[in-house]
Amino acid sequence: MTALDLSSPVAVVGTGTMGQGIAQVALVAGHPVRLYDAAPGRAREAADAIGARLDRLVEKERLTSAERDAARARLRPAEALAELADCALVVEAVLERLDVKQELFRALEDVVGDDCLLATNTSSLSVTAIGGALRNPGRFVGLHFFNPAPLLPLVEVVSGFATDVASATRAYETARAWGKTPVACADTPGFIVNRVARPFYAEAFAVHEDQGADPATIDAVLRESGGFRMGAFELTDLIGQDVNESVTHSVWQAFFQDVRFTPSLAQRRLVESGRLGRKSGHGWYDYGDGAERPEPHTAEPASPPAYVVVEGDLGPAAEVVALVREAGIEVRREDEDRGTRLVLPSGGQLVLADGQTSVEFRDVVYFDLALDYRAATRVALSASQSTSPETVAQATGLFQALGKKVSVIGDVPGMIVARTVARIVDLAVEAVAKGVATEEDVDTAMRLGVNYPLGPLEWSRRLGGGWACELLDNLHACAPTGRYAPSLALYRHAYASDKQEGGTS
C-alpha cells in the first residue's frame, strides 16, 4: 500500500494551532487541502493565517514565491462538511472529547467515499473508541502529530483494534511522503511518547515534593548531567501545566489508576491556583516583568581529596576514574571484587546512585547518573544528616576538580537523573514487550517526540541490561507502593542481558 497521490485532496477538520499545522504540512507536500471548522468564519481565518506563514517561509528562503503561490491556490476553506466529499484523507483536530469526535466521524462517514481514510490527531483518547462509532472502523487510524506540526518530524501512526493493516500502512507511507518520520504503534494509553515520557515529569515532581531539591536545581541537573534539552519544570511551564496534567491524568485513568502513572499533587495545586506556566505568566517559575529566574543550588568551592581508592567496577560511571586521573588526583586500586565505589581519605564512600539512601549506610555520599561524565557540566550529590561533613566536602571537591558544578540535594533514593532514566527504561521495555511498538520505533519516538538525548532502549544497552531493574528494585524496597516495582518485562530484559553478557540466571 503506497502513500496518497499528491492530486488527492486532504481535509483538516478543526482549525486551531494543530489543525493549521497539519494542513500546512499537507499543503507544502503538494496536496489540495480543504479546511473546515464548525465555527463560522474560522476556516477562512485559518487559511489566511496559513498563507501568512507561507509568506514567512518565502522570506526565510524555505519556499520560492512560485511554490507559495501554488500552495495558496490549493488551499480552500469549506463552509460545510459536504464540501469534503471527494477527499482521500480527512484528519480531525477538534476538542479532546470522545463524544465530539465520534459525532464528527459519524457525520463524515455519511459524506466521504468508502475509500477515504479517516484519521484522528488525538493525543490522549482511545483511537479504538473513537473509531467504534463508525460503520467501517477498518479505515480509521490515529495520526498523532506533535506541536508545532510543520517543524517537529515525528508522527505516531496508531492502529485501533479494528484498523485494517492496509489503512495503517497507507497512513504511515503518506506521513513519510510528507517529510515526516512516522512510527507505528498500537492503540494504548498515551501511545508511545505520552506513555513512556510520564516519569520524566513525575520523578522530578516527586523529588521536589519530598523536599529533595528545588525546581531550578532539579532542572539544572536534568539538563547539565542528564543531557535533556529542558528540565521537567521549565518544560511543563512551556507546555502548560493544565495540558501536561490533563495528559498525565488521562493516561493514569486509562491504565485503571496504575500507581506508576499517579499524577502529582503539587502540579494539581498549580493548576487549581491558575499558575499554568508561561501562558499565564506564572507556573513553577515566575514569568512576570522583571522576575528573575531562580538559580540552581551550587556548592561552594571545596578542596579536592589527595587521592581516591577505587573498589570494583563503577559500571556506567567508569569514566569518572579516568577523569580523576586526568585531574592529577592519585587513584589507588583495591580488590576488584570488593564493591563498586570510590573510597575517600575521610574513609567515607562515594557511590553511584543505586536506588538506596545514604542514611542506610555509614558515611556514604551518592552521586547521580550522567549521560556523559566527561561532557556533563554539573553533578548532583546526596547525603544524609549523619554523613560526615568531611566526606561531603571531599566528594564535592573531587567533582569540582573535574570541572563540574556540584549540587548537593537531599537523601533521595535514586537521586534525579538515575531514577528518571530507570523508570523511562522500564516503561519503554514494557511497551515493546506488550507489542505497542518495536524497540527502534520507541527509541525514534522518544528522541524526536520529546528530544531525549538517547532512546530508552539505547540508553539501557549503554547502562547494562540489569542496571534499571536493580535500581528500581532498591527504590521499591525504600518506597513499596508499587510505583517503582520493576515490570515483569524489565525483569526478563535484565536476565536476558545477563545471560548474553556471560552471567548466570
Side-chain angles (χ1 to χ4, degrees):
M1 183 65 67
T2 58
L4 294 175
D5 189 273
L6 289 180
S7 64
S8 302
V10 171
V12 178
V13 178
T15 58
T17 301
M18 183 59 77
Q20 290 181 33
I22 296 169
Q24 181 180 327
V25 170
L27 190 65
V28 171
H31 289 272
V33 173
R34 314 279 168 75
L35 285 172
Y36 175 78
D37 198 292
R42 194 70 60 79
R44 170 56 63 186
E45 293 173 4
D48 291 341
I50 293 170
R53 283 199 289 274
L54 295 177
D55 288 339
R56 289 195 290 274
L57 290 177
V58 172
E59 292 170 5
K60 295 176 181 178
E61 298 184 346
R62 295 177 184 172
L63 278 182
T64 66
S65 297
E67 289 170 335
R68 174 200 57 196
D69 295 343
R72 278 181 166 171
R74 294 194 301 270
L75 181 61
R76 194 180 89 195
E79 300 291 331
L81 283 180
E83 295 178 47
L84 313 184
D86 63 338
C87 288
L89 167 64
V90 180
V91 183
E92 163 272 316
V94 303
L95 189 66
E96 281 285 275
R97 273 181 43 188
L98 180 61
D99 59 335
V100 171
K101 293 180 187 291
Q102 287 179 327
E103 182 179 355
L104 169 64
F105 282 110
R106 277 194 291 261
L108 282 168
E109 200 170 31
D110 291 334
V111 169
V112 299
D114 292 341
D115 57 349
C116 177
L117 190 63
L118 299 176
T120 176
N121 183 59
T122 186
S123 62
S124 59
L125 298 176
S126 165
V127 171
T128 300
I130 300 170
L134 299 177
R135 294 189 299 273
N136 177 18
R139 61 165 158 175
F140 187 73
V141 67
L143 275 178
H144 181 214
F145 289 78
F146 288 74
N147 195 26
L151 297 180
L152 294 186
L154 184 70
V155 178
E156 291 178 317
V157 181
V158 187
S159 293
F161 186 77
T163 302
D164 292 336
V165 172
S167 298
T169 303
R170 171 154 285 185
Y172 184 98
E173 294 300 334
T174 297
R176 186 156 64 178
W178 290 358
K180 297 301 180 183
T181 303
V183 292
C185 62
D187 183 23
T188 185
F191 310 140
I192 300 172
V193 173
N194 280 330
R195 172 181 180 151
V196 177
R198 300 307 354 127
F200 179 74
Y201 315 108
E203 294 313 307
F205 298 163
V207 171
H208 174 53
E209 289 174 1
D210 289 342
Q211 302 295 297
D214 60 280
T217 300
I218 296 169
D219 277 353
V221 172
L222 286 168
R223 289 193 313 269
E224 299 172 40
S225 183
F228 292 96
R229 184 80 55 93
M230 299 178 75
F233 296 91
E234 57 190 342
L235 180 55
T236 52
D237 268 357
L238 179 63
I239 294 169
Q241 299 301 330
D242 53 340
V243 174
N244 182 261
E245 194 215 24
S246 176
V247 173
T248 297
H249 196 271
S250 174
V251 172
W252 175 60
Q253 290 284 19
F255 276 112
F256 306 106
Q257 300 186 357
D258 185 329
V259 69
R260 296 177 301 165
F261 300 100
T262 300
S264 162
L265 181 59
Q267 188 180 40
R268 176 92 293 261
R269 293 292 178 256
L270 271 186
V271 174
E272 289 174 339
S273 67
R275 294 187 170 188
L276 306 181
R278 288 181 179 271
K279 63 185 177 184
S280 70
H282 204 305
W284 294 108
Y285 301 111
D286 185 353
Y287 300 94
D289 292 339
E292 293 186 7
R293 179 71 173 265
E295 291 294 324
H297 170 74
T298 302
E300 293 295 323
S303 299
Y307 66 90
V308 295
V309 179
V310 180
E311 294 186 350
D313 177 7
L314 294 184
E319 182 73 2
V320 170
V321 179
L323 294 174
V324 171
R325 283 199 180 95
E326 291 170 19
I329 298 171
E330 182 184 353
V331 175
R332 303 174 183 175
R333 279 211 172 263
E334 295 288 349
D335 185 350
E336 294 288 334
D337 296 327
R338 289 184 59 181
T340 54
R341 58 190 172 236
L342 298 174
V343 181
L344 300 166
S346 67
Q349 299 173 25
L350 189 55
V351 182
L352 176 63
D354 60 5
Q356 300 181 90
T357 55
S358 180
V359 75
E360 299 173 58
F361 306 97
R362 185 187 67 81
D363 212 15
V364 165
V365 172
Y366 278 105
F367 66 99
D368 207 352
L369 180 70
L371 172 70
D372 180 343
Y373 283 99
R374 187 171 292 277
T377 57
R378 183 180 298 271
V379 171
L381 304 179
S382 72
S384 70
Q385 291 181 342
S386 61
T387 305
S388 159
E390 184 182 10
T391 295
V392 175
Q394 289 182 1
T396 300
L398 175 67
F399 279 104
Q400 288 173 341
L402 307 188
K404 318 300 181 188
K405 295 176 182 178
V406 174
S407 293
V408 181
I409 68 170
D411 190 13
V412 178
M415 302 193 66
I416 298 170
V417 179
R419 71 195 282 175
T420 299
V421 171
R423 288 210 58 220
I424 288 170
V425 167
D426 186 19
L427 293 186
V429 169
E430 184 185 53
V432 172
K434 290 185 177 295
V436 174
T438 65
E439 287 191 10
E440 181 181 0
D441 278 355
V442 169
D443 277 354
T444 297
M446 301 313 292
R447 282 189 292 100
L448 298 184
V450 278
N451 286 314
Y452 283 6
L454 291 174
L457 284 305
E458 182 184 0
W459 220 330
S460 178
R461 287 189 290 272
R462 266 201 194 188
L463 296 168
W467 176 85
C469 190
E470 181 179 352
L471 186 141
L472 291 176
D473 250 340
N474 290 335
L475 256 171
H476 179 57
C478 290
T481 62
R483 178 188 180 106
Y484 299 107
S487 66
L488 176 60
L490 189 64
Y491 271 119
R492 288 172 171 160
H493 178 74
Y495 278 109
S497 298
D498 184 53
K499 286 183 178 179
Q500 289 174 0
E501 292 164 9
T504 58
S505 60

